[in-house]
Amino acid sequence: MKKQLFSYSISPTQSPDFHLPLVRICLTGDMNTDYRVHKTAMSLMSMGYRVECVTAQCKAVRLPSSKPYSIKVLRLMFRNGPLFYAEFNLRLWWYLIYNPSHTVLSIDLDTLTGCRMAKWLGRFRLVFDSHEYFPEVPELQHRPVVKKVWQWLERHTIGGVDRAYTVCGSIADIYQKKYGVPFQVVRNLPELKSMTHVQPAIVDSRFKLVYQGAINKGRGIVETIRALAYLDNVLLVIVGSGDETELVQREVERVGVQHKVLMTGRIPFDELPAYTLSADVGLCLLENIGLNYYYSLPNRIFDFAQAGIPVLASNFPEIRKVVGDMGTGLLLDDLNPETIARAIEQLRGDKVAYQMMCDNAIKASRELVWECDLPVLRNVFNR
C-alpha cells in the first residue's frame, strides 16, 4: 500500500500492462462487500482493459485488501452525510482531470456529478452503472428537500453519459423515458461456480433463515424478528450491517428472541457463500416504500438459487419474474409478522413443495449467472 497525503494507492496482486486502455471505476461503497464492482472489474480485465477503482474510506469501512486491479482510496475529511458526498465528488473531479483515462465508469448517482464535471474538461468515455433508482431509495422518501437535490443532479448529469446500464428492465425503462438515454440491463447475477467445495459456516439443527445485505430501512428485518415470536426451533442469521443495525439489535431484545437470532456483521463477498449455504430459506422481504424497492431485483435472490435454497420474497414485479415464474420460493403480499410466520411454517411443513422449490432453484441457477449477461457488458464497453 502506497500512502500519499490525500490518498492511498493499493497495488494490484499482479503487475498491470500499462499499454492497455485504462478504465477507472468510481464508487462510494465498500469494496469488500460490493461483489458487482468486483465482477465488473474482473470482466473488464478479461476484455483487455487495465482497471483502477477509485473509492473513499467512509462510514468506518475498512480498506480493501489487494485485488487483481489497482485501487485508489481518497482521504476525506468527512465520512458520511451531504458533506461527504460533496467532498468526494470534488476530489473525484480533481483526480480524474489530472489522471487521464480511456473510460470512466460511474457507479450510482452519488459519483456521477464528479465524473460528469471531469468529462467537461477531460477526454474520456463516460459509462454509468445505476445499481438502483437513487432518488427513490427509502432514506429519501420523507426528506423532500434532499430528494429534490438528488433529482436535480440526476437531471443534469445522466443526459451527459456516453453509455449506461442498470440492474433490471423496469429501472432501465424509467431512465430511458425520462432522459432519452438508452439503458442496457446487466443483472447483478453471481458468477458461475460450484458450491460443492463450500463448507457451511453455521452448523445448527434448527430451521435456519438467512438475510444477507445492508441492514437498512424497509428490508423486512424488523418484521421477521417479530415473526420469530410465533415460531419454534428456528434461527435467523442476519449477515451485514447498515444504518439500522442498532435498531434491529434493540428489536431483538424487545421481542425477547436473542436465542433465535445471530448477527454476523459485514462479511466479505468471497466468504458469503458459506453463510448462504448454511440456511434452509433465504429472505428477500421489502416494503413498498419508493419505486427503488418496488422495481428492485436484489442479487440475493440469485445467491439463494445458486445455494439451492428457496426464497421468501416480496411480490414485486421484477422479483416475481424470477421467484414466481421459476418457482424458486414463496411470494408475500404483505409483511405482517403473522404472514411471515405462516409462510415459514408452510415452507418447513410441506416437505414435497419445499424440495420442489430447492430443485427449481438449482435448475434456475444454471441460467441466472453473471456469464449470461456478460455479452451485454461487453457490448457496452467495446462497441
Side-chain angles (χ1 to χ4, degrees):
M1 181 185 297
K2 299 177 182 178
K3 291 188 177 182
Q4 300 168 352
L5 182 60
F6 298 110
S7 62
Y8 290 103
S9 292
I10 302 176
S11 301
T13 53
Q14 57 193 50
S15 180
D17 183 348
F18 291 99
H19 295 94
L20 297 176
L22 174 62
V23 177
R24 283 194 165 92
I25 303 177
C26 306
L27 69 152
T28 62
D30 182 1
M31 291 196 59
N32 293 293
T33 57
D34 198 328
Y35 193 21
R36 181 177 175 89
V37 168
H38 176 75
K39 289 179 293 188
T40 301
M42 297 301 293
S43 297
L44 289 171
M45 292 178 66
S46 73
M47 296 178 205
Y49 291 102
R50 182 163 51 98
V51 174
E52 179 185 75
C53 290
V54 185
T55 186
Q57 187 176 11
C58 62
K59 300 178 183 177
V61 170
R62 64 185 175 87
L63 289 172
S65 58
S66 293
K67 306 288 184 184
Y69 40 85
S70 302
I71 300 171
K72 173 69 71 172
V73 184
L74 303 179
R75 291 181 182 220
L76 303 181
M77 292 176 58
F78 302 98
R79 296 299 180 93
N80 51 49
L83 292 176
F84 161 74
Y85 290 113
E87 183 186 11
F88 177 78
N89 277 277
L90 285 171
R91 292 284 311 281
L92 180 62
W93 167 68
W94 188 263
Y95 181 75
L96 293 176
I97 287 175
Y98 287 97
N99 293 273
S101 311
H102 174 276
T103 300
V104 170
L105 172 57
S106 169
I107 304 295
D108 277 326
L109 186 61
D110 55 0
T111 69
L112 189 54
T113 299
C115 296
R116 182 70 183 93
M117 290 193 304
K119 184 174 169 56
W120 289 335
L121 299 176
R123 294 184 178 181
F124 57 78
R125 178 177 57 178
L126 178 55
V127 180
F128 179 47
D129 177 7
S130 181
H131 290 193
E132 55 191 351
Y133 187 18
F134 202 92
E136 288 291 328
V137 298
E139 291 79 8
L140 299 182
Q141 296 316 298
H142 300 291
R143 304 171 67 192
V145 175
V146 178
K147 182 175 180 177
K148 285 181 179 179
V149 170
W150 285 112
Q151 289 173 329
W152 185 90
L153 291 172
E154 185 185 76
R155 287 196 302 272
H156 289 82
T157 53
I158 288 184
V161 304
D162 297 304
R163 295 164 194 178
Y165 62 99
T166 186
V167 293
C168 68
S170 295
I171 295 177
D173 290 343
I174 290 171
Y175 275 134
Q176 190 159 333
K177 289 175 183 176
K178 286 178 71 174
Y179 303 110
V181 176
F183 269 72
Q184 304 297 315
V185 175
V186 179
R187 295 168 295 175
N188 200 2
L189 301 168
E191 293 176 297
L192 179 63
K193 57 188 175 185
S194 171
M195 300 285 281
T196 55
H197 68 286
V198 178
Q199 295 297 317
I202 299 169
V203 179
D204 194 296
S205 61
R206 289 175 287 180
F207 193 76
K208 294 177 288 297
L209 316 168
V210 65
Y211 170 84
Q212 53 193 55
I215 304 179
N216 289 342
K217 183 178 180 180
R219 300 294 182 100
I221 303 171
V222 169
E223 291 80 2
T224 304
I225 290 168
R226 292 170 183 169
L228 296 179
Y230 302 95
L231 298 166
D232 294 320
N233 200 35
V234 296
L235 175 66
L236 171 62
V237 181
I238 301 174
V239 182
S241 63
D243 297 338
E244 296 204 342
T245 297
E246 292 184 3
L247 183 149
V248 167
Q249 291 170 337
R250 290 196 300 270
E251 189 66 14
V252 169
E253 294 176 1
R254 189 193 70 81
V255 179
V257 291
Q258 296 93 324
H259 60 295
K260 297 181 182 180
V261 178
L262 171 64
M263 299 182 69
T264 69
R266 286 178 184 259
I267 297 294
F269 58 76
D270 53 349
E271 298 176 18
L272 186 58
Y275 289 86
T276 312
L277 201 64
S278 300
D280 297 293
V281 172
L283 301 175
C284 186
L285 299 171
L286 302 174
E287 290 183 57
N288 188 1
I289 46 175
L291 295 179
N292 181 59
Y293 275 6
Y294 185 69
Y295 288 125
S296 67
L297 186 58
N299 60 299
R300 52 187 170 274
I301 66 173
F302 307 121
D303 294 336
F304 298 147
Q306 193 170 70
I309 62 173
V311 58
L312 187 60
S314 297
N315 191 12
F316 292 166
E318 293 288 342
I319 295 173
R320 185 164 57 244
K321 291 176 185 177
V322 178
V323 179
D325 294 354
M326 293 186 167
T328 62
L330 292 181
L331 295 170
L332 299 186
D333 293 318
D334 67 77
L335 297 188
N336 291 325
E338 295 90 343
T339 303
I340 296 172
R342 283 196 299 269
I344 293 169
E345 286 289 18
Q346 181 180 342
L347 288 167
R348 177 164 59 174
D350 192 335
K351 305 297 184 183
V352 174
Y354 177 86
Q355 187 57 52
M356 184 178 295
M357 291 176 193
C358 291
D359 295 340
N360 290 340
I362 293 170
K363 181 180 178 181
S365 70
R366 301 181 188 125
E367 305 173 32
L368 301 174
V369 290
W370 179 255
E371 287 75 9
C372 288
D373 284 7
L374 192 53
V376 181
L377 191 70
R378 289 198 184 101
N379 184 55
V380 168
F381 282 90
N382 290 341
R383 64 181 171 85

